[in-house]
Amino acid sequence: MFNKILIANRGEIALRVIRACKEMGVKSLAVYSVADKEALHTRVADGAICIGPAKSSDSYLNITSIISSMEVADAEAVHPGYGFLAENAAFAEACEKCGIKFIGPTSAVMKLMGNKIQAKKLAEELKVPVLQWSNSALATEKDALEVSKKIGFPVLIKAAAGGGGRGMKLVHTQAALAGAFNMARMEAIAAFGDGEVFIEKYCELPRHIEIQIMADEHGNVIHLGERECSIQRRHQKILEESPSMAVDPKLRHKMGEAAVRLAKAINYTNAGTVEFLLDKNKNFYFMEMNTRIQVEHPVTEMVTGTDIVKEQIRIAGGQRLSLKQKDVTFKGHSIECRVNAEDPRTFVPCPGKITELVIPGGLGVRIETALYCGYTVLPYYDNLLAKVVVHAQTRGEAIARMVRTLEEFHIGGIKTNIPLHLKILKDHDFIAGNIDIDFLSRFT
Ligand code: MV4
């Protein structure tokens, strides 16, 4: 096993990884920006190195600075968490070249899955269902029109280098297509330096369901079931749960098997997530693969009793998966609420000093946070304050447990979206499990 791991991240996910390291007897090395000198991850790790100014591009995204820190402090492996460098194939490649173990898949696999056209082609070859699409990148307006007419409106224009909903354009009519196509291409060049776009049939009011997979470096791949992630706003997930009300054991098996098939075909290693849309008729379609640990991984941990982060570290150390597919069982129901520093009505972020803090607890409650009383929430980074995760035997009990937990949670000095969560948790459609990706926009 590794002697020392560098955690190339901050906030709750950095703490999550540091805790796993400590329990495994692995030394943890934090990196921090000048603004994060007093942050909890900086203080709790076995060591910490300052990697630059507050701005992410100068610190948490500074590949040179992070790799130098590894050399200086003699760390053998790096955990990227989520965001920042987690899906940066150039960073993974730099690690490979420097003899540093990147805790995640290889740079080649990250590059492959980073291109949504290649990923979709691969899924299609493997008979993993996909929505009708252009089958390749589109060169001209004329091609775009031809394909769209064949598929039928509405269509979505997506960037090959996009993902997570970035750079998508919904087109309802033939008249609007040319403008949207050119706009999508220009925006893709500006955002990703790659103007390749493709067209897909628009799926109306689907659910966003994702499958967690784990793969070791000996060819073993398993799935840990699904997460229901439909409650989102502008592609920012707000509340996630497992299992999904829409997924029965048979569908779970089919989606899990499809995700495993995809992972095996590319010799995927470490933790990954295969994203699907599930339509009203319970047909599922591959969207993309995320090659990182995800924010919402705890709900999967709660229902399967696995420690995904420890498993990631073990896998990167060359060990075999600690369980086989037949050992994976699903127990009870878990919900995660992302508590953000924001105005609950306008969603405008509101950083500032935490003047009072009461963190809830009790049976079946897990709080993932790097907050402490007196800490100042910084404007430079994302506004996630805490993930409140509950586990109970049934969904109804999990909802009741989440309500009482959020009511106990007191964060003084800044505004949070806890009131929004409480409103969702009391909504009749949510309680009935009648949700889709537009739930929140209808709701607020
Ligand atoms: C779609 C879609 C409907 N039809 N593709 C968003 C994230 C990325 N993984 C793919 N996404 C979607 N792709 C087709 N053909 C719906 C989504 C989608 C979404 C779209 C608009 C607003 C919120 C959304 C949330 C989840 C998924």
Side-chain angles (χ1 to χ4, degrees):
M1 191 31 65
F2 303 115
N3 177 54
K4 189 189 280 187
I5 294 175
L6 182 145
I7 297 95
N9 216 302
R10 65 183 302 283
E12 67 85 20
I13 193 62
L15 269 187
R16 171 73 187 84
V17 178
I18 292 166
R19 286 169 175 157
C21 288
K22 288 188 184 241
E23 289 179 19
M24 293 173 85
V26 175
K27 290 196 202 94
S28 56
L29 174 65
V31 290
Y32 64 97
S33 71
V34 171
D36 272 342
K37 186 146 181 49
E38 305 298 325
L40 210 48
H41 78 281
T42 308
R43 298 184 181 186
V44 167
D46 298 319
I49 298 180
C50 184
I51 49 167
K55 240 176 88 189
S56 300
S57 54
D58 297 328
S59 50
Y60 297 104
L61 292 170
N62 186 339
I63 293 176
T64 312
S65 199
I66 290 167
I67 291 196
S68 306
S69 303
M70 310 248 341
E71 306 286 351
V72 167
D74 221 5
E76 306 150 69
V78 57
H79 196 302
Y82 54 72
F84 297 125
L85 296 169
E87 292 185 280
N88 186 318
F91 176 61
E93 195 176 354
C95 290
E96 287 161 6
K97 286 189 173 141
C98 295
I100 293 164
K101 185 68 182 183
F102 177 85
I103 302 175
T106 62
S107 63
V109 164
M110 286 167 68
K111 218 172 277 172
L112 176 66
M113 286 296 134
N115 185 306
K116 309 306 162 190
I117 292 179
Q118 283 177 267
K120 211 167 148 125
K121 276 188 177 157
L122 183 81
E124 220 170 8
E125 281 166 25
L126 296 168
K127 302 269 174 9
V128 173
V130 297
L131 284 159
Q132 204 185 344
W133 71 303
S134 51
N135 296 307
S136 60
L138 290 160
T140 64
E141 277 174 32
K142 198 166 148 277
D143 294 342
L145 185 59
E146 217 164 277
V147 167
S148 301
K149 278 197 200 152
K150 198 174 110 218
I151 292 175
F153 289 93
V155 296
L156 261 185
I157 307 176
K158 296 185 177 185
R166 294 173 312 152
M168 299 196 331
K169 291 251 176 294
L170 178 57
V171 185
H172 286 283
T173 63
Q174 194 169 317
L177 185 72
F181 174 74
N182 291 311
M183 186 98 81
R185 270 213 303 204
M186 289 200 314
E187 285 179 11
I189 291 170
F192 318 114
D194 173 358
E196 280 204 342
V197 298
F198 63 101
I199 282 182
E200 216 173 76
K201 176 77 190 160
Y202 182 62
C203 182
E204 313 255 6
L205 301 180
R207 290 171 184 257
H208 189 166
I209 309 268
E210 57 188 31
I211 300 281
Q212 175 73 53
I213 64 122
M214 297 293 311
D216 67 20
E217 297 178 358
H218 307 274
N220 304 299
V221 187
I222 59 169
H223 74 84
L224 298 176
E226 82 283 5
R227 291 185 288 262
E228 163 73 68
C229 304
S230 298
I231 312 268
Q232 54 80 41
R233 182 178 177 274
R234 298 191 182 168
H235 306 292
Q236 278 282 99
K237 294 165 189 159
I238 304 259
L239 179 155
E240 308 94 353
E241 59 184 312
S242 186
S244 165
M245 293 273 275
V247 178
D248 62 16
K250 199 174 146 209
L251 182 57
R252 180 170 305 118
H253 178 78
K254 267 172 59 183
M255 295 179 78
E257 200 273 327
V260 167
R261 189 148 26 100
L262 198 66
K264 280 188 172 160
I266 54 177
N267 295 319
Y268 193 89
T269 49
N270 220 281
T273 298
V274 183
E275 268 186 25
F276 296 99
L277 292 183
L278 184 67
D279 73 13
K280 281 177 292 284
N281 303 319
K282 302 275 174 101
N283 298 303
F284 65 89
Y285 305 99
F286 169 77
M287 287 286 113
E288 56 194 73
M289 183 165 191
N290 300 321
T291 58
R292 60 170 191 276
I293 185 88
Q294 292 198 253
V295 177
E296 59 273 24
H297 75 276
V299 296
T300 301
E301 295 184 322
M302 302 315 280
V303 296
T304 61
T306 58
D307 185 325
I308 297 173
V309 174
K310 278 190 189 168
E311 202 66 27
Q312 283 191 289
I313 295 170
R314 276 192 223 108
I315 289 167
Q319 295 184 25
R320 287 170 187 278
L321 281 175
S322 68
L323 71 176
K324 299 194 179 340
Q325 191 66 54
K326 66 168 171 45
D327 304 320
V328 178
T329 55
F330 305 98
K331 189 167 157 274
H333 198 98
S334 182
I335 304 175
E336 170 179 282
C337 287
R338 299 190 191 189
V339 175
N340 297 327
E342 69 191 19
D343 187 295
R345 262 170 288 276
T346 63
F347 299 95
V348 173
C350 60
K353 186 168 170 152
I354 313 262
T355 54
E356 293 169 289
L357 186 64
V358 181
I359 295 182
L363 182 62
V365 174
R366 169 177 173 189
I367 311 290
E368 295 286 342
T369 185
L371 288 191
Y372 55 86
C373 196
Y375 175 75
T376 299
V377 180
L378 300 168
Y380 316 106
Y381 313 110
D382 83 11
N383 61 345
L384 179 69
L385 294 172
K387 304 190 305 204
V388 175
V389 185
V390 300
H391 185 233
Q393 270 169 17
T394 66
R395 185 169 186 267
E397 288 169 302
I399 292 172
R401 181 161 283 166
M402 183 62 87
V403 170
R404 84 87 182 140
T405 303
L406 291 176
E407 285 174 348
E408 259 179 56
F409 205 169
H410 175 67
I411 306 174
I414 57 172
K415 284 189 248 182
T416 80
N417 64 346
I418 287 176
L420 172 68
H421 280 298
L422 289 170
K423 205 172 142 201
I424 294 168
L425 292 161
K426 287 166 186 171
D427 179 82
H428 288 291
D429 280 329
F430 175 77
I431 290 167
N434 293 330
I435 54 173
D436 57 58
I437 61 169
D438 283 338
F439 173 85
L440 258 194
S441 60
R442 287 193 298 268
F443 185 75
T444 47

